[in-house]
Every structure is written in structure tokens, then in C-alpha cells.
Amino acid sequence: DNEIYLVRCPRRSLGVTRSCTGQSLCPHLSRCIVSEYRMIDEMKNLLDDFCTKTQFISECCSADADAAEAWLIDSSRFEAKQISSPGRVQYLIDRINHGEHFRLQELHRHEPMAPVVRFLEIGGRATQRAVVVMASAKFDIDPITAEHELGLRYQLQQGYSAWISDVVHLDRFELVCSVVQDCASDESTDFGRVVFEMFLPDAQPGMVQ
């Protein structure tokens, strides 16, 4: 019997690593799954207090351009990574140091049946760094979480019954606090186009237009 069944508890090597409260636990160029409580700490560390969780980076540029530019040009503070919680995805794209790394990343919240997004194009040469925010738009199901993540409500268009996808917000930047706004159709221009794929596990035939 001893050769077939394990009769003793195996030894496991366990350890504890200390970290400072303001230190990010998510390594560079990785996807980290965190709780909602840990996401608050990660966002504070990520945004370095110049921007709040419910603000988009483009809004913070308008409010404090100097602080936002200092963050955008500093590679030690602007770290390319994806942080995912049940309610939110925060994804930083660093084209300067890592090229087209974003094409290898699938973005989705840490929740069953959450939509999955993969960016194929984020623009031309003018887009040097970018920030993606994804959060649930299902205010009818969980209005508190949805508004807490996005800071506003996205109203349904007339003729639609409910949201089935997440809100996907992309801010594109040059190395100054200048938002790349022009989505030109000619991809050879400095601005270029934005292209992404989305997989909707909840979608049924006829639900998406």
C-alpha cells in the first residue's frame, strides 16, 4: 500500500516575502490578477497620485499637464503591464521600449464570461505610449461597481436592451501630454488607425450589431 498511496504529508517549501505598501507586486510586461482591494493599491502606485482611479489619463493631462508629462516620459514609472481585477483592467502600452508587445496580450477582467480584447493596431508613429481601461458597463446589474470604475454612466442607445460588452477606453500619447485624437483612415500616417478584436462569451446570435 505504501507504494501506491501517499501516507505522509509531503514537505512543501513555503516562504513569505515582505513588500512595502506603495510597492507594486506586478512585474514588468506581465498580467497580474488582483483583488479589488489590491487593485486600489496598484492603481495608486501606477498613477503616482497625479490621477485618480475614476479619471482617464487624458483628463488628468488637462488638469495637471506637468505631472502627467513627467509620468509619461519616465520609463521607471510608466511600466508596461496589465493589472486585472473582477471589476477592471488597467493596461499600459510602452512602444518606445517594447515595440508592438501589445499584440500578444489578451485583456479581460478576472471574472467568468468577461469579454476578451486584443489590440492589433493602436495608431502610427505618433502613438508612443498608451493606456487602456476596461470595465463592465452593466449598470443594470451592478451599478455601484460600474460607476465606481468608470466615474460616469454610459447610457444605452435607443433600440438596445442591455450592454453585453465592457467599456474599452484607449488614451494614446506622444512623449508629451498631447493626446493623439485623429484616427486617420490611412495607416501610413503619423496617427494611423486603432483596430482591436473582441470576444463576447455572453453574446447570442442577433445580440451584436
Side-chain angles (χ1 to χ4, degrees):
D1 288 346
N2 289 348
E3 295 180 359
I4 301 176
Y5 301 103
L6 188 65
V7 295
R8 294 183 180 179
C9 293
R11 290 189 176 184
R12 303 293 185 195
S13 57
L14 301 176
V16 176
T17 302
R18 294 184 178 182
S19 62
C20 297
T21 302
Q23 177 182 353
S24 175
L25 302 181
C26 187
H28 209 60
L29 290 177
S30 61
R31 177 179 186 265
C32 296
I33 298 172
V34 299
S35 67
E36 296 294 2
Y37 293 104
R38 182 62 209 177
M39 176 62 92
I40 295 173
D41 291 335
E42 288 287 345
M43 290 293 294
K44 286 181 179 178
N45 178 74
L46 190 68
L47 300 177
D48 210 13
D49 293 331
F50 83 90
C51 201
T52 65
K53 183 181 179 182
T54 56
Q55 289 178 295
F56 298 123
I57 304 299
S58 53
E59 296 174 330
C60 299
C61 277
S62 301
D64 192 346
D66 291 339
E69 284 183 10
W71 178 73
L72 280 169
I73 65 175
D74 189 345
S75 295
S76 66
R77 297 165 64 192
F78 191 102
E79 292 187 314
K81 64 178 69 174
Q82 178 188 167
I83 307 175
S84 175
S85 71
R88 181 189 187 95
V89 171
Q90 190 84 14
Y91 182 46
L92 272 63
I93 298 172
D94 183 357
R95 232 178 183 176
I96 300 171
N97 295 311
H98 305 294
E100 310 298 290
H101 67 94
F102 57 87
R103 293 182 179 177
L104 303 176
Q105 285 275 350
E106 292 186 342
L107 313 182
H108 57 94
R109 293 178 290 108
H110 183 53
E111 183 178 67
M113 307 299 286
V116 180
V117 167
R118 184 166 66 95
F119 279 88
L120 304 179
E121 301 289 344
I122 60 168
R125 294 185 299 274
T127 303
Q128 300 183 44
R129 284 184 170 153
V131 179
V132 180
V133 175
M134 284 178 57
S136 173
K138 297 180 179 179
F139 296 101
D140 54 332
I141 298 175
D142 191 358
I144 296 176
T145 299
E147 191 161 8
H148 176 70
E149 296 296 344
L150 299 169
L152 72 164
R153 288 176 177 263
Y154 287 83
Q155 302 297 331
L156 281 171
Q157 298 295 316
Q158 186 175 1
Y160 292 88
S161 59
W163 289 98
I164 61 170
S165 71
D166 282 8
V167 171
V168 181
H169 183 94
L170 170 68
D171 280 327
R172 304 184 295 163
F173 297 97
E174 302 176 71
L175 269 189
V176 294
C177 205
S178 175
V179 182
V180 180
Q181 295 177 338
D182 186 5
C183 297
S185 58
D186 184 359
E187 61 184 11
S188 64
T189 65
D190 285 346
F191 297 108
R193 59 180 183 173
V194 173
V195 180
F196 63 87
E197 299 175 334
M198 178 178 285
F199 173 63
L200 302 172
D202 278 343
Q204 301 296 326
M207 292 181 67
V208 182
Q209 293 187 5

